[in-house]
Amino acid sequence: MYAIVEIAGQQFKVAKDQKVYVHRLKEEEGKKVSFHNVLLLEDGKDITIGAPAIDGAAVEAKIVKHLKGDKVIVFKKKRRKGYQKKNGHRQYLTEIHIEGIIAKGAKKEAPKKEVAKAAPKKEAAVKEVAKAAPIKETTKAKAAAPKKPAAKKAAPQKTVDLSKNTVAELKEMAKAKGIEGISSMKKAELIAALSK
């Protein structure tokens, strides 16, 4: 029996009592972990393919140790330019021992409880800030008050209409309003004077 499972962003073909080196996991050495993102299961002649993962399937493993991989040399060079860079890299790895493959009935741990606990802390922090600074409460009250959308809608319509008019039409409108000095004004100045 073997399974293809996703561990730390990579897919591995694993079987029982197999040792696998994966990217560094957060858990401590000696702890047991289970991976629920099983993509394929093979049990004798039966092959089960997930879409994308198989519900209820899991791979249980034990963390043996944390270690570093072999050194990889990264050498960059541009010929005839006097440019050379030599760098080394050792990947952080975790050695795990596969203890078993569960085909059905594996229970997932719910990490949502941690998220629910974090939300009340944020609310408590907001309340403390509100108590310390009563000025912020008044700004919140102003923001919560309903705004008058009718007054804002009327103003943009005037500016759109004025920009479509010719200079001669704008000058006639300015005369009707009683604006002085329109003969020397340009189109933008006429629009600004009429929109006031």
Side-chain angles (χ1 to χ4, degrees):
M1 180 175 190
Y2 73 86
I4 295 177
V5 62
E6 185 176 327
I7 303 171
Q10 291 183 316
Q11 295 177 9
F12 295 93
K13 180 180 177 181
V14 295
K16 190 175 179 183
D17 298 327
Q18 180 182 1
K19 286 188 178 179
V20 182
Y21 293 96
V22 299
H23 286 305
R24 180 69 59 99
L25 300 175
K26 294 179 183 178
E27 288 79 10
E28 297 175 8
E29 292 181 6
K31 289 201 171 185
K32 293 185 179 183
V33 291
S34 60
F35 304 104
H36 296 281
N37 201 4
V38 179
L39 308 172
L40 184 137
L41 268 174
E42 188 271 338
D43 187 13
K45 294 183 179 179
D46 299 332
I47 296 177
T48 308
I49 300 173
I54 300 169
D55 292 332
V59 173
E60 293 182 342
K62 182 180 180 182
I63 296 177
V64 178
K65 63 180 175 179
H66 296 296
L67 59 134
K68 280 183 168 183
D70 295 335
K71 182 175 275 192
V72 177
I73 302 298
V74 181
F75 185 74
K76 299 179 183 179
K77 180 180 179 177
K78 294 184 181 178
R79 61 186 191 159
R80 298 187 302 274
K81 305 293 184 221
Y83 172 80
Q84 288 185 7
K85 294 287 179 190
K86 183 178 179 182
N87 211 340
H89 174 73
R90 292 187 72 186
Q91 183 68 37
Y92 290 103
L93 300 172
T94 300
E95 181 183 344
I96 61 173
H97 178 263
I98 306 299
E99 293 184 337
I101 299 171
I102 301 171
K104 292 181 182 177
K107 294 181 181 178
K108 291 185 180 181
E109 295 178 9
K112 294 181 180 178
K113 293 179 182 177
E114 295 174 8
V115 176
K117 290 179 183 177
K121 291 180 184 178
K122 290 180 182 177
E123 291 173 6
V126 170
K127 288 179 182 177
E128 289 177 15
V129 171
K131 288 179 184 177
I135 298 169
K136 291 185 178 180
E137 288 179 6
T138 57
T139 55
K140 287 181 183 178
K142 288 180 183 177
K147 297 179 181 177
K148 298 178 182 178
K152 287 187 177 181
K153 288 182 181 176
Q157 291 176 351
K158 289 181 182 177
T159 56
V160 173
D161 293 336
L162 293 177
S163 64
K164 292 180 180 178
N165 294 340
T166 62
V167 177
E169 292 171 348
L170 292 172
K171 285 184 179 180
E172 288 177 19
M173 292 173 144
K175 281 182 186 177
K177 276 195 168 182
I179 300 172
E180 295 180 6
I182 55 174
S183 60
S184 62
M185 288 185 178
K186 295 180 181 175
K187 186 174 182 177
E189 294 171 346
L190 285 167
I191 292 171
L194 288 169
S195 62
K196 287 182 183 178

